[in-house]
Amino acid sequence: MSTTLDVDRHDDDRVAGVPRRRIVVASLIGTSIEFYDFYIYATAAVSVFPHLFFPKGNETTALLASLATFGIAFVARPIGSVLFGHFGDRIGRKATLVGSLLTMGIATFLIGVLPTYHQVGLLAPMLLALMRFCQGIGLGGEWSGAALLATETAKPGKRAWAAMWPQLGAPIGFVFANGLFLIMTLLLGHDNSDPDLSSAFLEWGWRVPFLLSAVMVIIGLYVRLKLEETPVFAKAVADGKKVKTPLVEVFKSSWRQLIIGTFVMLATYTLFYIMTTWVLSFGTGKTPAQGGTGAGFRYSDFLVLQLVAVLFFAAAIPVSGILADRYGRRSTLLVVTGTMMVFGLCFGLLLDGDAMSSARMLFFLILGMLLMGFTFGPQSAILPELFPTNVRYTGSGIAYNVSSILGAAVAPFIATWLATTYGVGWVGVYLLVAAVLTFVALLAVRETKDASLDEV
């Protein structure tokens, strides 16, 4: 059986008979859909769920409760990485990617039809938490599969460039999610600073982004079902390297890579969920003059600022792929992580004050999103490259998703508490600490840009 990466020598634009552009589209569209599904929940966790799924009372308490359900998905993600990683390393990348997409898509659609607290009481937040858990399971298996699909079919010397395509799914999903929420709020006249529970947006408008995910999932399934297995995995099977229990094997042979990979991703997660979920609640919260700790922007106005800033996130990802291929993953990420530390020290300077201008907030968001693009882009190259083929799906998925618990699940909650209790400057200190931990982990990483995936 001859199934190796040598297919590139016969046709540089095809891998195992499949056009490279189809592989790019499959990795990109899947992660775009998954992140879209994930982000519409993140947006609704700030603007919708505190009003509809939790008992009336203190506004901050309701927001924190909503953010807690947001964090449930991050607890589920490592479980999803183990579940889908097992099948991804045993059966193959293609079938597993289809399963992860269906899991996320069905859970997201069902959120769009859930009854609210006013209709069924405590059953409503319980069902919401269950669906959020299922979202986490799906995304836990999605990212590593898409990253492997890209890296294991990449041209020699271009793995970081190929791996950046599934990373672009994050800003694309964010633009679609927040863009659709913006359209709905503008059409239906919703104002998050003074919500009317009888408004059309809170009655039915918020459900539309969740329900529309079904259309996107169907498109994603169509593309992925036309894929073939990656040559790297097929070669590992042909060489008899497939293991019966990838989870046991990865902890036995690659435990050091698991720890390092988890902390390599930590600052990236912390930065992103500070710059998306927490900053949305801060930006639309009441100002100190109004008795709050926020910046006082209208919900729709702030979404516009976020959508502008996320374009810089998207623009930085391809650049990071080029830099990681030229200078190495480790060197690129060390520079970006060091810059992230400096950014954390600037939170108080950029965000403090009673009167926050749109220009200053946009500048802050752009800085954060640029850094996010540069740190996020190389992750889908460096994490898979840490692990051998027979446990690569499981290992990279566990590292990526355990990091999501440490860096993302608690980030909005901790940042909200710090900003409310001590001031926004301490949110930057929180980011600084996460960046220091990542910097230390990167120092322990060997450079992998020239390593063969068959020999890792």
Side-chain angles (χ1 to χ4, degrees), residues 76-398:
R77 282 172 66 164
I79 300 174
S81 67
V82 170
L83 174 64
F84 288 106
H86 175 83
F87 293 107
D89 285 327
R90 289 284 299 158
I91 298 174
R93 312 331 191 188
K94 174 185 172 179
T96 309
L97 280 168
V98 170
S100 66
L101 185 62
L102 280 173
T103 302
M104 172 68 92
I106 293 171
T108 303
F109 179 84
L110 290 177
I111 290 175
V113 297
L114 287 181
T116 66
Y117 178 82
H118 306 287
Q119 295 170 320
V120 296
L122 290 175
L123 181 61
M126 292 171 63
L127 290 173
L128 182 65
L130 176 61
M131 292 302 102
R132 182 59 173 170
F133 186 85
C134 292
Q135 277 192 320
I137 293 287
L139 191 58
E142 167 63 27
W143 177 86
S144 49
L148 267 56
L149 178 64
T151 56
E152 291 184 346
T153 57
K155 297 179 182 179
K158 297 291 184 181
R159 275 205 305 264
W161 174 257
M164 72 88 189
W165 288 105
Q167 303 300 78
L168 274 176
I172 290 173
F174 185 90
V175 167
F176 275 103
N178 278 27
L180 191 51
F181 262 102
L182 175 62
I183 292 171
M184 296 304 299
T185 56
L186 292 176
L187 287 177
L188 301 177
H190 174 69
D191 182 3
N192 195 56
S193 62
D194 185 24
D196 178 7
L197 296 184
S198 63
S199 69
F201 177 79
L202 288 180
E203 282 199 343
W204 61 267
W206 69 271
R207 300 180 184 273
V208 173
F210 290 92
L211 299 178
L212 284 180
S213 68
V215 178
M216 301 174 69
V217 168
I218 292 172
I219 297 172
L221 286 174
Y222 173 78
V223 174
R224 285 192 168 175
L225 287 172
K226 288 182 170 291
L227 292 176
E228 298 295 333
E229 194 50 74
T230 70
V232 171
F233 178 79
K235 184 176 184 299
V237 173
D239 293 344
K241 294 181 180 179
K242 192 167 62 171
V243 295
K244 291 183 178 181
T245 53
L247 179 62
V248 174
E249 180 63 26
V250 77
F251 276 99
K252 178 181 177 181
S253 63
S254 304
W255 61 268
R256 185 173 180 272
Q257 292 93 317
L258 284 174
I259 296 172
I260 291 174
T262 296
F263 283 96
V264 162
M265 190 70 196
L266 179 67
T268 302
Y269 265 126
T270 304
L271 174 66
F272 188 67
Y273 283 92
I274 285 176
M275 296 304 303
T276 54
T277 305
W278 171 76
V279 82
L280 178 60
S281 63
F282 169 79
T284 59
K286 293 179 180 178
T287 64
Q290 298 170 326
T293 58
F297 285 91
R298 283 176 53 87
Y299 179 69
S300 57
D301 293 340
F302 195 82
L303 283 184
V304 171
L305 297 179
Q306 278 195 309
L307 287 171
V308 172
V310 83
L311 298 178
F312 290 83
F313 174 22
I317 289 177
V319 178
S320 73
I322 295 172
L323 293 174
D325 274 332
R326 179 173 298 179
Y327 300 108
R329 292 79 161 110
R330 182 175 181 267
S331 299
T332 301
L333 288 171
L334 280 171
V335 172
V336 177
T337 305
T339 308
M340 205 182 300
M341 297 179 198
V342 178
F343 179 61
L345 293 174
C346 296
F347 269 50
L349 177 66
L350 294 172
L351 297 179
D352 263 339
D354 290 340
M356 171 70 71
S357 67
S358 296
R360 182 150 59 107
M361 177 57 78
L362 181 60
F363 179 68
F364 170 78
L365 292 173
I366 288 174
L367 284 179
M369 285 299 182
L370 275 173
L371 283 172
M372 182 60 203
F374 283 116
T375 185
F376 189 59
Q379 298 293 343
S380 57
I382 191 172
L383 292 185
E385 288 168 351
L386 292 176
F387 299 91
T389 302
N390 57 0
V391 294
R392 185 170 293 136
Y393 203 127
T394 302
S396 61
I398 290 176

Side-chain angles (χ1 to χ4, degrees), residues 39-58:
Y39 294 154
I40 55 176
Y41 190 102
T43 302
V46 173
S47 62
V48 176
F49 298 150
H51 309 303
L52 299 183
F53 284 85
F54 298 93
K56 286 187 176 181
N58 182 274

